[in-house]
Amino acid sequence: MIQNNGSVCRSIYANVKRKIEYFGDMSNLHGINNLFSTSHIPFFKRLFWLVVLTSSCFGASIILQSALKLFSTGVASYSVETNYLDWNTPFPAVTVCEQSDNGRVKAYLTQYKLSSNLAAFFKEVAFWNVKYCRTCNVCKINETCVENFEDAIDKIRHRCSELLTDCWWGGRYFKCCDELHPIETEYGICYVFNSALFGNSSILTVNRRVGLVDFTFSAVELVGVRIHAPDDIVSAALENILSRSSSLPLVTEFEAILKVEQTVNDLSVSSLSETMRGCLFKDDLPPYPDWPFKQYTYSGCLLFCRALAQYSFCNCTHHFLANIVKIPACNVKGLACLYQNRDEFPKFECNCPMACDDTQYKPVHIFYNRVSGKLSSELMKRGSRARVRFASLPTLRVRRLAIKDTLGLVVDIGGVGGVFFGASLLSVIELIYLFCIRRNRH
């Protein structure tokens, strides 16, 4: 048995030796024939080429390790662009939401002959607040709260025409409700101007040809204003760039002057994996099951995460969120659960990668003046007036690009093979051919 194993090993060794010698005789790679050829070559010449090839292998391995490390980590970089003459910059979306009760609950209770004991409950469920529904924690069904309250909310809240009247875009007048579309948000039904959620064809942009156009609207009720990127979904988690100035009581003169910071992507970034580029494109899916949206946005991910936090504690979500995220809505008992666990929701771990296409708006100046004293009937009829515009057209934007994509890695490998071994793709094919396909005649 031992003799058989020894003969097999000797046979394999002889066969491999013949293959290497044949490869040395036939190969076109530099130095290989001087090292492995069966021809008579002086010992010192073979030793010289052994040292050369060993050094080349060592140098090639160091450079390839660096190239692979660069490819696998930190493969996206950022550069600043200044060729602003041809840019089309998206104008921000403006979302207007009814903010609080202004006698609507009392009117609803009177119209439908309901007990005034329900007033506190309907004020909390018809308008979003940070405590969700404190009344639900202590109320009695059919006395100070009711189960089927969503139909009542629809009757209590104002319609668009009851909130907004006159609008202007770049000096062109139109009725606000012709261009501001109703949209479900965490604050209930709001009305949004220039949102990408209704199709990219509706997005308004500014450039050197259009100039610094502005958007102006009039509101005849107390409203809240949120300014954000056109593809964002408004939620309590979305950054409020206006801070306390976002609330417009009657009668207020308001102007927001903004600057824009935009991040765009080079075509090379699309060839990178999600892990390598560190962001998600709109067509990518975040690490959440049952993702409810057609496209990925960072704001949408934050909203969905808030809903998941509520669901994890209470097995339901706030009724304003339910239709958006496709999670069952809370009844009165569920709203009481939200109130009891409201301090735990911010601790819920959210895994929301940033979006690759990112547009952020920052306030340069906010003018806010609430008209005091006796108000004329004309001013009350006109209501609050808000104006949104850019301070100037952008002259800088950030471009994300791939330091090393797959093609770049192939080029690096080919360059190392060419520099250290004089090899190419044909050399690799030749190696496979000589070792595996063609048989030597020895």
Side-chain angles (χ1 to χ4, degrees), residues 93 181 183 192-200 202-203 228 230-232:
H181 304 286
I183 185 172
V192 61
F193 174 76
N194 198 40
S195 173
L197 302 179
F198 301 99
N200 289 332
S202 64
I203 296 302
H228 52 90
D231 56 359
D232 277 342

Side-chain angles (χ1 to χ4, degrees), residues 269-321:
V269 178
S270 60
S271 65
L272 302 177
S273 66
E274 296 174 10
T275 304
M276 290 180 177
R277 64 176 178 258
C279 63
L280 296 184
F281 285 109
K282 292 181 179 180
D283 296 332
D284 295 329
L285 293 178
Y288 289 114
D290 303 321
W291 176 250
F293 306 114
K294 294 180 179 179
Q295 294 183 329
Y296 178 80
T297 60
Y298 180 70
S299 60
C301 185
L302 291 179
L303 182 142
F304 187 53
C305 185
R306 284 177 59 81
L308 291 179
Q310 296 174 11
Y311 185 75
S312 67
F313 282 93
C314 302
N315 290 323
C316 63
T317 190
H318 194 273
H319 48 278
F320 286 156
L321 283 178

